[in-house]
């Protein structure tokens, strides 16, 4: 039996943390689709053609170190506007969504394009400042030499590009439950997400 949970939202909204916790709660598999675009972006930074990078992506590519840097995030957002790149990644994501035993996918277009028939859809947001603060703390903890202002500018630039592109723009599906995590602890955000999925399951 398959059960797909789509979790979309802007940069650093907490989708990763929430998705992992929701997947663990229900015993579902989890796919961070941003990692696919980050892996393609990293290859492009290394000189590979974007479409070739997307068409030849391997599981090992997703384990490359350095995919979480801000430079790779920007590269990901730039390759993500290319329709052929997105198309090359669709089948893998759809198959993952319909695997037996249930799946959680997080990204930008899961509830709208990849899995419009997902049984549960969430759109996780927070103010740009809160998201930048969280991402800044993450990057700093990893030893990245950056500033809050740089991270805020990165988050805003990616959001504008992701929401403004012609192909699969970032937008909440009409039937998505919105969760604003600006003033929520991780525990409260996870609880809200689990409650929304429980409601969809009922
Ligand atoms: O972790 P964060 O929210 O900052 O970003 P991510 O989810 O790793 O995604 C990196 C970039 O990949 C985004 O800025 C999007 O441009 C792109 N992306 C996308 O276009 N569609 C998806 N389903 C997931 C990511």
């Amino acid at each position: 039996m398959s059960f797909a949970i789509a979790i979309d939202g802007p940069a650093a909204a907490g989708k990763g943390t929430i998705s992992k916790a929701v997947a663990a709660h229900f015993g579902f598999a989890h796919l961070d689709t941003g990692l696919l675009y980050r892996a393609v972006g990293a290859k492009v930074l290394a000189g590979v053609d974007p479409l070739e990078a997307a068409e030849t992506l391997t599981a090992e590519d997703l384990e490359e170190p350095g995919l979480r840097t801000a430079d790779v995030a920007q590269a990901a957002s730039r390759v993500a506007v290319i329709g052929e790149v997105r198309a090359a990644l669709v089948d893998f994501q759809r198959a993952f969504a319909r695997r037996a035993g249930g799946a959680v996918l997080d990204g930008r277009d899961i509830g709208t394009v990849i899995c419009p028939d997902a049984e549960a859809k969430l759109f996780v947001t927070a103010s740009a400042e809160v998201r930048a603060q969280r991402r800044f703390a993450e990057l700093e903890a990893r030893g990245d030499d950056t500033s809050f202002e740089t991270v805020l500018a990165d988050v805003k630039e990616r959001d504008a590009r992701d929401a403004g592109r012609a192909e699969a723009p970032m937008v909440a599906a009409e039937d998505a439950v919105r969760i604003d995590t600006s003033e929520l602890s991780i525990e409260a955000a996870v609880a809200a997400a689990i409650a929304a999925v429980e409601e969809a399951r009922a």
Side-chain angles (χ1 to χ4, degrees):
M1 192 213 65
S2 77
F3 189 100
I5 303 175
I7 303 187
D8 292 302
K15 300 181 301 290
T17 305
I18 290 174
S19 300
K20 280 194 207 90
V22 167
H25 178 86
F26 291 101
F28 289 4
H30 169 228
L31 177 65
D32 169 3
T33 67
L35 211 51
L36 303 176
Y37 292 91
R38 285 175 181 261
V40 174
K43 287 199 165 200
V44 170
L45 289 179
V48 180
D49 168 74
L51 185 53
E52 190 191 329
E55 284 175 342
T56 59
L57 207 63
T58 65
E60 291 80 67
D61 292 333
L62 305 183
E63 280 157 26
E64 281 292 315
L67 294 184
R68 296 286 171 198
T69 65
D71 285 352
V72 170
Q74 279 289 349
S77 160
R78 287 194 298 271
V79 299
V81 306
I82 306 170
E84 292 90 340
V85 165
R86 307 197 68 83
L89 302 174
V90 164
D91 288 350
F92 174 74
Q93 295 176 83
R94 288 199 177 138
F96 192 96
R98 286 301 161 208
R99 61 194 277 151
V104 180
L105 287 84
D106 74 270
R108 302 291 185 290
D109 62 339
I110 308 303
T112 51
V113 173
I114 298 300
C115 210
D117 59 350
E119 282 75 14
K121 297 183 188 178
L122 308 181
F123 195 81
V124 179
T125 59
S127 73
E129 284 70 22
V130 165
R131 291 186 286 119
Q133 189 52 54
R134 289 178 187 158
R135 181 54 51 87
F136 174 57
E138 262 173 50
L139 291 170
E140 233 191 357
R142 272 217 314 270
D144 263 18
D145 184 21
T146 187
S147 67
F148 171 75
E149 287 70 27
T150 306
V151 177
L152 180 61
D154 169 71
V155 156
K156 285 184 172 172
E157 189 184 341
R158 277 200 292 135
D159 285 352
R161 195 187 289 121
D162 292 347
R165 69 188 173 214
E167 290 285 333
M170 170 180 69
V171 62
E174 270 181 26
D175 49 349
V177 175
R178 287 168 181 270
I179 300 177
D180 186 330
T181 68
S182 301
E183 290 175 10
L184 296 183
S185 65
I186 291 177
E187 293 72 22
V190 167
I194 289 171
V197 174
E198 291 288 12
E199 185 136 327
R201 259 155 71 102

